[in-house]
Amino acid sequence: SVTLKKHRVQVFRAVVCKTTSPLKTMSDSDIPYLPSHWSKRLDPTKIVDAHFKLLREQSELVIERLKPEIVQYGQSDSNELVYYWFTPSDSGGNAKSPLFVFIHGGYWQTPELTARMCCHMADTFVNNGLHFASLGYDCVPAVSIEDTVRLVETGLRACLERARSDGLSGVYVAGHSAGGHLAVTAGACVHWPGELAGLIKGVLPISGVFDLMPLVKTSVNHPLGMNTARAAALSPMRGLQQQLLASPVRAPILAIVGALESPEFTRQSRELCDLLRRHGRQADVNIVPERDHFDIIELLADPADPLSQRILAFIRSGGVIDSADDS
């Protein structure tokens, strides 16, 4: 219902903004996972609303101008089981160019944050000869977090199968925050069939969370209801570790995090990449100067932004990790 959705948004803002809300108490364990607490640009009580407003307004302008194809990949009352598909602005010679798939965040529990709101960055990719897809999914409380993971896998499969059918040269799977977790679970932990696995050329979690165990005792978990067993089972660093290491997807993982974020996001990205490198996989961390948890994706709308340029270079190289990473 509309009332329930409004309540969920209020709960989410309480978690990331540390404001008065249905969540009555905040503990010290919450602080590392409150992105707005670490941003210096705006008051913590205002930054999420400002972030949503910017994404929504920019995305609507991009959608109106570029008119993406909106493709349904599943049935849901939310109408969120869709992806927004943008083709390169210069199709001549780029019809088979790679696809960049983006998965939004929201701590697996934010109906207000949608795939439509993350079309703001499409210009950066289509104007550089790439396909772009913003992938939606259902979240808690409409479904469980485990269901969310499965839905993203289904949506990514639809994108991969379309990329194969269209003869695209590769797929790069990215996501922000909880979407970074979903990009790794769907893009690097699933035992995709050989041809689909080979299409994935890179995975780019941005400000991701890969060990969900520390969240169990935080307010983030109040809506999710995870116990330690569920949190471990959902974590690429724990219960999904063997699937991650045994996956036929051998694509490099470039973990991206803002220098102005909580150190916990940096730690989790470093530990994921350390694990992968110990097992012979290509993985590195890219720390982006002067970026917090919010503007790190807001500025992907600008093709000249340093992170936009780094991601484009990663794609053009076919997913090569270089010495500029692991900073």
Side-chain angles (χ1 to χ4, degrees):
S1 70
V2 173
T3 300
L4 181 59
K5 285 185 177 180
K6 286 181 178 178
H7 176 74
R8 302 307 301 181
V9 172
Q10 189 180 14
V11 170
F12 172 73
R13 286 186 177 134
V15 171
V16 298
C17 299
K18 201 179 179 186
T19 59
T20 302
S21 72
L23 303 180
K24 298 187 183 302
T25 60
M26 293 285 177
S27 67
D28 289 343
S29 61
D30 289 317
I31 300 298
Y33 293 96
L34 298 175
S36 57
H37 176 84
W38 299 87
S39 175
K40 308 304 180 187
R41 294 182 296 121
L42 289 173
D43 184 280
T45 63
K46 298 178 179 177
I47 193 165
V48 172
D49 282 334
H51 178 63
F52 284 1
K53 183 175 185 290
L54 185 149
L55 294 186
R56 187 181 300 109
E57 291 177 353
Q58 289 191 351
S59 292
E60 288 304 318
L61 291 173
V62 169
I63 289 168
E64 175 62 26
R65 180 164 41 81
L66 297 182
K67 295 179 172 51
E69 184 181 353
I70 304 174
V71 182
Q72 188 173 350
Y73 70 82
Q75 297 291 331
S76 169
D77 291 340
S78 71
N79 296 317
E80 282 304 312
L81 303 187
V82 298
Y83 59 83
Y84 289 73
W85 183 279
F86 297 78
T87 56
S89 55
D90 177 16
S91 59
N94 290 313
K96 308 301 182 184
S97 63
L99 166 67
F100 185 86
V101 177
F102 184 81
I103 304 165
H104 68 81
Y107 268 142
W108 310 277
Q109 60 187 273
T110 314
E112 189 178 11
L113 184 56
T114 65
R116 187 178 184 91
M117 286 171 62
C118 290
C119 294
H120 69 292
M121 65 182 76
D123 273 322
T124 290
F125 299 95
V126 300
N127 288 341
N128 281 278
L130 303 170
H131 295 77
F132 175 81
S134 182
L135 178 62
Y137 55 87
D138 280 343
C139 61
V140 174
V143 299
S144 69
I145 187 172
E146 289 87 355
D147 288 335
T148 292
V149 170
R150 286 189 285 269
L151 287 170
V152 171
E153 290 175 9
T154 301
L156 181 58
R157 176 182 288 274
C159 291
L160 289 170
E161 289 179 342
R162 177 165 181 173
R164 177 178 61 180
S165 175
D166 291 353
L168 304 191
S169 59
V171 177
Y172 293 81
V173 184
H176 174 247
S177 196
H181 164 267
L182 295 168
V184 172
T185 56
C189 294
V190 174
H191 196 92
W192 294 110
E195 192 173 352
L196 295 185
L199 265 178
I200 300 176
K201 305 299 184 183
V203 178
L204 300 93
I206 303 170
S207 309
V209 180
F210 315 107
D211 179 3
L212 277 58
M213 288 285 279
L215 296 177
V216 171
K217 295 183 178 181
T218 72
S219 298
V220 171
N221 191 42
H222 290 184
L224 302 174
M226 293 185 296
N227 57 25
T228 55
R230 288 178 66 199
L234 288 160
S235 300
M237 294 293 294
R238 293 180 183 269
L240 293 176
Q241 183 179 136
Q242 288 306 311
Q243 290 170 244
L244 173 65
L245 298 176
S247 170
V249 177
R250 311 309 290 175
I253 292 182
L254 179 60
I256 299 164
V257 64
L260 302 182
E261 299 199 57
S262 162
E264 184 65 5
F265 288 94
T266 302
R267 180 189 70 80
Q268 291 225 7
S269 289
R270 287 199 185 282
E271 290 189 359
L272 174 71
C273 292
D274 287 346
L275 168 70
L276 290 163
R277 285 194 296 254
R278 286 198 303 271
H279 289 83
R281 298 284 296 278
Q282 290 189 61
D284 270 307
V285 180
N286 187 207
I287 307 295
V288 186
E290 302 299 320
R291 293 288 180 270
D292 62 34
H293 194 81
F294 304 99
D295 62 2
I296 197 168
I297 62 159
E298 291 171 0
L299 291 168
L300 288 179
D302 178 7
D305 180 73
L307 179 56
S308 298
Q309 288 294 304
R310 178 66 196 95
I311 292 173
L312 291 170
F314 180 73
I315 295 172
R316 291 186 187 114
S317 73
V320 173
I321 299 287
D322 63 30
S323 59
D325 302 311
D326 197 22
S327 52

